[in-house]
Amino acid sequence: AVPFFVLLSRDAKQRGLVLGAVALWLLLGRWFELLWFVVPSYEKSGLTLHALDVLTPLAVGGLWLWAFCGQLARYPPVPLHDPALSEASE
């Protein structure tokens, strides 16, 4: 519920740092939720963490970020030579 209430504020949605913190909060919460549901079914002794539990999401996220940045370099999200761009950005 915390990210919902944080994002109700217009000021919070306009700050990149706040949005990044909320996104990180949601990603870590989702990771912990998956860990909470999956690990006890395999480990009878309780919750145990392995290095791959942390490294695998980081590796997959790194591969996704690499592919995303590669696409972003080839296809910019803003039209570069659009004559109406300066008017639209005002």
Side-chain angles (χ1 to χ4, degrees), residues 33-81:
E33 178 192 13
L34 287 172
L35 203 63
W36 184 265
F37 284 131
V38 171
V39 170
S41 65
Y42 289 113
E43 300 289 335
K44 301 299 181 202
S45 62
L47 184 64
T48 59
L49 288 177
H50 191 269
L52 289 177
D53 293 333
V54 176
L55 293 177
T56 302
L58 288 176
V60 170
L63 286 172
W64 180 87
L65 191 61
W66 173 74
F68 177 78
C69 289
Q71 290 292 318
L72 195 59
R74 273 189 263 159
Y75 308 108
V78 178
L80 296 177
H81 303 293

Side-chain angles (χ1 to χ4, degrees), residues 18-30:
V18 174
L19 285 177
V22 169
L24 184 63
W25 175 273
L26 290 172
L27 285 172
L28 289 176
R30 179 66 177 147

